[in-house]
């Protein structure tokens, strides 16, 4: 039985990209976000992107983003 993933959305800008993660600015604070929790629907996918960052909700909760 597969549970459908839930997502959270944030206005963000990606300032650094590594092979495994993005360093983004959300509400003037920097956060490292693993690429594995970023949705394909996110407009923020790589360094220099700004717009809507869509991440798995459990990660947003764990990191205190919500």
């Amino acid at each position: 039985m597969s549970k459908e993933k839930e997502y959270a959305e944030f206005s963000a800008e990606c300032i650094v990209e590594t092979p495994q993660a993005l360093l983004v600015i959300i509400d003037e604070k920097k956060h490292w976000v693993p690429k594995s929790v970023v949705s394909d629907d996110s407009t923020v996918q790589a360094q220099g992107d700004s717009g809507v960052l869509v991440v798995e909700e459990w990660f947003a909760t764990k990191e205190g983003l919500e």
Side-chain angles (χ1 to χ4, degrees):
M1 185 177 192
S2 174
K3 183 180 177 189
E4 188 171 323
K5 292 181 182 176
E6 295 183 13
Y7 293 92
E9 297 182 358
F10 304 92
S11 178
E13 176 185 0
C14 180
I15 57 172
V16 175
E17 177 182 10
T18 71
Q20 300 295 319
L22 305 174
L23 180 59
V24 299
I25 298 175
I26 300 172
D27 294 331
E28 300 180 7
K29 294 182 183 171
K30 295 178 183 175
H31 302 275
W32 280 104
V33 178
K35 290 181 178 179
S36 61
V37 301
V38 177
S39 168
D40 290 340
D41 295 332
S42 181
T43 59
V44 179
Q45 297 275 346
Q47 185 171 338
D49 288 352
S50 60
V52 179
L53 175 67
V54 183
V55 298
E56 293 180 26
E57 188 169 13
W58 71 266
F59 177 79
T61 300
K62 175 180 163 281
E63 295 297 311
L65 300 176
E66 298 187 292

